[in-house]
Amino acid sequence: FIDKIFELRDLVNSMPKTYEQEGKGDQAIIHLHYFIGNCDWWITEKDSEFMQRQAFGLADLGYGAEYGYISIEELIENGVELDFYYKPRTVAEQMKDRA
């Protein structure tokens, strides 16, 4: 389990910061996936501050995915789970699999 924690730490440290994937559209890479029930959050960029509090990506609360800023603190406070086994992929690949 500790190996997975270090793997996730390295993934987050190497993620693009806010605006670094701007203009890539469906070719932007999703790095993290959070979920609870039928709700999903896919993180494409992390906050540029040292302590990541906000991210950018897609949120699907059961009505279709939309881009926006996502509060990581709110996700954690509400019991949303991090998908430890999610593999980075493009937005296009992820949305194709959702259809």
Side-chain angles (χ1 to χ4, degrees):
F1 185 73
I2 194 74
D3 291 340
K4 183 52 78 175
I5 297 299
F6 286 130
E7 180 183 327
L8 287 168
R9 179 204 61 195
D10 293 344
L11 176 64
V12 169
N13 286 338
S14 68
M15 283 177 59
K17 293 182 174 109
T18 306
Y19 303 117
E20 288 185 359
Q21 293 198 82
E22 188 172 12
K24 289 188 175 182
D26 286 350
Q27 293 310 304
I29 302 296
I30 298 169
H31 295 274
L32 298 172
H33 173 231
Y34 289 87
F35 65 96
I36 191 169
N38 68 336
C39 300
D40 294 279
W41 294 264
W42 295 281
I43 309 301
T44 59
E45 299 170 343
K46 68 178 181 176
D47 198 346
S48 59
E49 295 180 22
F50 173 70
M51 292 295 296
Q52 182 183 4
R53 307 219 186 284
Q54 177 174 277
F56 186 81
L58 290 131
D60 186 346
L61 306 179
Y63 307 104
E66 294 183 15
Y67 283 101
Y69 291 96
I70 299 163
S71 170
I72 301 301
E73 287 181 334
E74 284 183 26
L75 294 180
I76 293 167
E77 288 170 5
N78 288 289
V80 175
E81 296 182 52
L82 175 61
D83 183 347
F84 286 167
Y85 300 99
Y86 186 81
K87 299 292 181 198
R89 57 201 308 192
T90 67
V91 170
E93 292 169 326
Q94 183 63 54
M95 294 303 108
K96 180 180 175 187
D97 285 351
R98 290 284 291 180

